[in-house]
Amino acid sequence: PKMKEDNCLHAALICLGVLCYSHAVAAEKLNHTRPSLHGHHEKGKEGQVLHRSKRGWVWNQFFVIEEYTGPDPVLVGRLHSDIDSGDGNIKYILSGEGAGIIFVIDDKSGNIHATKTLDREERAQYTLTAQAVDRNTNRPLEPPSEFIVKVQDINDNPPEFLHENYHANVPERSNVGTSVIQVTASDADDPTYGNSAKLVYSILEGQPYFSVEAQTGIIRTALPNMDREAKEEYHVVIQAKDMGGHMGGLSGTTKVTITLTDVNDNPPKFPQSVYQMSVSEAAVPGEEVGRVKAKDPDIGENGLVAYSIIDGDGMDMFEITTDYETQEGVVKLKKLLDYETKKSYSLKVEAANVHIDPKFISNGPFKDTVTVKISVEDADEPPVFLKPSYVFEVQENAASGTVVGKVHAKDPDAANSAIRYSIDRHTDLERYFSINAEDGNIKAIKALDREEMAWHNISVFAVEVHKQHQETKVPVAIKVVDVNDNAPKFAAAYEAFVCENARSNQQFITISAEDKDDSANGPRFIFSLPPEIIHNPNFTLRDNR
């Protein structure tokens, strides 16, 4: 509605001392004009409404400050008509959102009041309709006019962060200015009016390690070379303050827990320069000898360490493996040991990181070495024969007590205990042989017959005198050597026939013999006729050898 030059209603708005208006070009109307309500913005003496040629007041937007807590209702504005002579014949009516509940109008004076405290964050504006009618007939004196009551914001809401607690990670030794996390706060106040919702971030706790960007809430590292191994977790408190951070602004805070994640910036290090270990000479290959451990303060794959033997006189005798669960190097026996041959060994063991970060290569080398000294312990070993087996010979006609051979065993231990010998009688049931318990001489004590048994396989025990459980057995093979102690025998009883008219020198029978002795003493026979018939002219014998 615009102010008319003639015969128009003027509505006067008083808005808590705040005069909000805009100019509009007055439109000249030809012929007749209809009445309209105008906001009462400017007054002369005695409250009369001032008229301006060709220009009217835009009155259809009122303002009420929120959260008013005074004892009296808030005056929002006043409707007034020029034709209202004050005789009470004009009645002002208010309808729309909150009319009669929140907003009430004095139907005589046109004063509009807000009867309740308003909260812009619950509702920012109300749309109402004003109308002037005849009090007696209720006849509208002009068409209804719509206007808006805006709730004007005050700074009554502090900033609130999206989360009460934040958690973030950043690698240790990050460069200064590395982004860690962005925290965000919101303010329920009107961002379009004043600075009530203009937030500025600052850091209350966590300096000098971290900083925060005032406008964005991005937290960044502020110190170089922060070391996880020195301190892993930081507690930072960030404040968001409205009113652009100026005095009087409201604020809210949040806690940020920042954890430094690990990088491989530490090499492994042995806590000592020499490890002493011992192992029995009786240990078998694969048996664990001992363990070494290099300490690496890094964690996860950054702290993984692999072990290897790089030098030493025991490289052929020992090996090392890595126990990745305990991060230890396990020294194991690779070959059998002999205390009497070598009593100690030395190894040079290296521990090296498995994964190396090129960015921190200057912190290297990412490895360390240590000396491992291994002493071999003397084990209580059984006697050892000088040979793994023995082979002897004895003639079959040897007299009882003939020495067949000698076995010899010794105690490999440093004590060099005396040895006693015996024959395993399970291998000499007929007791053909005996052995001297002290010197190991084996004798034949019973007649031997090669033709009955050409070989005797016996076992001889050697046992330590003072440790009967330490026993060793060795096989002894005894060959019975043949002597010519068996006469030849004809293979069969021969009977021959010959015809009476047989020719001279005609062969009519072949005779063979056999001998139990071996080839050296048996099969080469000489055949001849006995003396009583050697001169018989009827028969001759040819020896075929």
Side-chain angles (χ1 to χ4, degrees):
K2 299 181 178 64
M3 183 177 289
K4 304 297 184 291
E5 292 183 351
D6 302 306
N7 193 26
C8 62
L9 288 174
H10 294 276
L13 168 64
I14 302 174
C15 189
L16 296 181
V18 180
L19 299 178
C20 299
Y21 62 89
S22 63
H23 297 286
V25 178
E28 291 290 342
K29 299 294 182 180
L30 297 175
N31 302 323
H32 68 278
T33 61
R34 67 176 180 83
S36 60
L37 282 172
H38 285 260
H40 185 190
H41 292 284
E42 189 173 338
K43 296 181 181 180
K45 293 180 180 180
E46 297 180 356
Q48 293 180 357
V49 177
L50 299 179
H51 294 265
R52 292 188 177 186
S53 296
K54 299 182 179 180
R55 179 172 294 180
W57 300 102
V58 177
W59 67 277
N60 61 347
Q61 182 167 289
F62 299 163
F63 294 87
V64 180
I65 294 179
E66 65 170 333
E67 305 293 351
Y68 176 74
T69 57
D72 300 320
V74 178
L75 177 62
V76 177
R78 179 168 60 87
L79 294 178
H80 182 74
S81 174
D82 286 344
I83 62 174
D84 184 357
S85 59
D87 56 5
N89 289 327
I90 293 179
K91 179 181 179 182
Y92 298 98
I93 299 174
L94 188 66
S95 62
E97 297 172 342
I101 301 173
I102 299 174
F103 302 102
V104 296
I105 190 170
D106 186 326
D107 62 356
K108 292 183 179 179
S109 66
N111 288 338
I112 302 173
H113 288 85
T115 61
K116 293 184 177 181
T117 300
L118 302 179
D119 187 353
R120 189 200 68 84
E121 286 71 44
E122 289 184 3
R123 185 159 187 169
Q125 66 180 33
Y126 297 83
T127 302
L128 298 169
T129 301
Q131 191 171 26
V133 300
D134 185 284
R135 183 178 295 277
N136 296 320
T137 64
N138 283 331
R139 179 178 63 84
L141 300 178
E142 63 177 53
S145 295
E146 187 177 90
F147 65 95
I148 294 173
V149 177
K150 283 194 172 183
V151 182
Q152 188 171 344
D153 185 50
I154 64 171
N155 189 19
D156 61 340
N157 289 280
E160 292 184 359
F161 283 92
L162 299 180
H163 303 286
E164 184 177 352
N165 293 286
Y166 289 83
H167 295 273
N169 299 322
V170 64
E172 63 174 330
R173 300 194 182 278
S174 293
N175 295 330
V176 173
T178 299
S179 175
V180 179
I181 189 176
Q182 183 175 19
V183 294
T184 305
S186 59
D187 194 312
D189 292 323
D190 188 355
T192 65
Y193 180 79
N195 293 323
S196 297
K198 185 178 180 181
L199 305 183
V200 171
Y201 298 92
S202 61
I203 185 167
L204 301 182
E205 295 180 21
Q207 297 168 313
Y209 307 103
F210 299 94
S211 63
V212 65
E213 291 184 356
Q215 305 302 321
T216 64
I218 296 176
I219 300 174
R220 299 184 183 275
T221 57
L223 276 184
N225 297 322
M226 285 193 287
D227 190 3
R228 184 198 67 84
E229 288 73 36
K231 185 176 181 180
E232 183 175 8
E233 194 172 85
Y234 295 82
H235 298 283
V236 177
V237 177
I238 300 298
Q239 174 184 267
K241 189 174 185 180
D242 60 20
M243 298 300 291
H246 294 128
M247 185 176 295
L250 304 178
S251 64
T253 60
T254 187
K255 295 179 180 179
V256 184
T257 301
I258 300 176
T259 302
L260 296 184
T261 57
D262 188 56
V263 299
N264 189 10
D265 58 340
N266 293 282
K269 187 73 176 175
F270 284 105
Q272 59 201 69
S273 59
V274 178
Y275 283 84
Q276 298 284 352
M277 300 179 183
S278 61
V279 59
S280 170
E281 63 174 332
V284 297
E287 189 170 323
E288 181 177 321
V289 177
R291 295 187 173 218
V292 298
K293 185 173 184 178
K295 295 183 179 180
D296 191 325
D298 296 320
I299 59 176
E301 69 172 18
N302 296 319
L304 291 180
V305 177
Y307 298 86
S308 60
I309 299 174
I310 61 174
D311 198 6
D313 60 2
M315 291 184 69
D316 294 334
M317 305 301 294
F318 300 92
E319 61 184 357
I320 191 167
T321 59
T322 302
D323 185 337
Y324 285 104
E325 289 188 3
T326 62
Q327 284 297 290
E328 294 174 311
V330 184
V331 180
K332 295 182 179 179
L333 185 62
K334 191 175 179 182
K335 294 181 180 179
L336 289 172
L337 300 169
D338 184 9
Y339 170 82
E340 289 69 33
T341 303
K342 189 171 177 62
K343 296 178 174 58
S344 64
Y345 294 89
S346 179
L347 303 174
K348 188 174 184 180
V349 174
E350 180 182 86
N353 276 142
V354 177
H355 303 283
I356 298 177
D357 192 333
K359 291 187 293 185
F360 302 99
I361 197 69
S362 60
N363 291 24
F366 286 82
K367 57 186 177 181
D368 193 20
T369 59
V370 72
T371 298
V372 179
K373 293 184 177 181
I374 303 174
S375 59
V376 181
E377 295 179 343
D378 187 22
D380 190 8
E381 300 176 90
V384 176
F385 282 95
L386 299 185
K387 295 180 180 181
S389 64
Y390 291 85
V391 179
F392 300 128
E393 291 184 354
V394 61
Q395 289 188 338
E396 61 178 331
N397 61 353
S400 177
T402 299
V403 175
V404 176
K406 182 178 182 179
V407 296
H408 182 69
K410 66 176 183 178
D411 181 7
D413 300 324
N416 195 22
S417 299
I419 305 299
R420 293 292 180 265
Y421 303 94
S422 63
I423 294 175
D424 183 357
R425 288 305 171 186
H426 292 94
T427 62
D428 185 27
L429 296 175
E430 300 296 328
R431 294 183 178 268
Y432 285 104
F433 305 96
S434 67
I435 190 169
N436 188 303
E438 294 184 358
D439 61 17
N441 277 323
I442 300 173
K443 296 179 180 180
I445 60 174
K446 194 173 180 180
L448 301 172
D449 188 354
R450 190 203 68 84
E451 287 71 43
E452 288 185 5
M453 186 180 291
W455 285 89
H456 292 265
N457 295 303
I458 65 173
S459 295
V460 175
F461 289 115
V463 62
E464 294 181 22
V465 173
H466 301 296
K467 299 177 181 177
Q468 298 294 319
H469 64 283
Q470 294 291 20
E471 183 182 73
T472 304
K473 186 165 64 174
V474 69
V476 178
I478 302 173
K479 179 182 180 181
V480 180
V481 180
D482 184 51
V483 296
N484 192 9
D485 59 345
N486 289 281
K489 292 181 180 181
F490 287 105
Y494 293 98
E495 185 177 5
F497 301 90
V498 64
C499 295
E500 60 180 342
N501 59 349
R503 298 189 309 273
S504 177
N505 292 320
Q506 181 180 336
Q507 179 178 328
F508 62 88
I509 191 171
T510 299
I511 297 170
S512 63
E514 59 184 18
D515 193 319
K516 289 184 179 180
D517 296 323
D518 64 16
S519 58
N521 297 311
R524 298 181 65 184
F525 304 128
I526 298 174
F527 294 87
S528 62
L529 294 174
E532 61 268 24
I533 63 169
I534 192 170
H535 299 295
N536 188 329
N538 296 311
F539 303 98
T540 61
L541 174 69
R542 186 174 66 190
D543 187 357
N544 291 321
R545 294 292 186 182

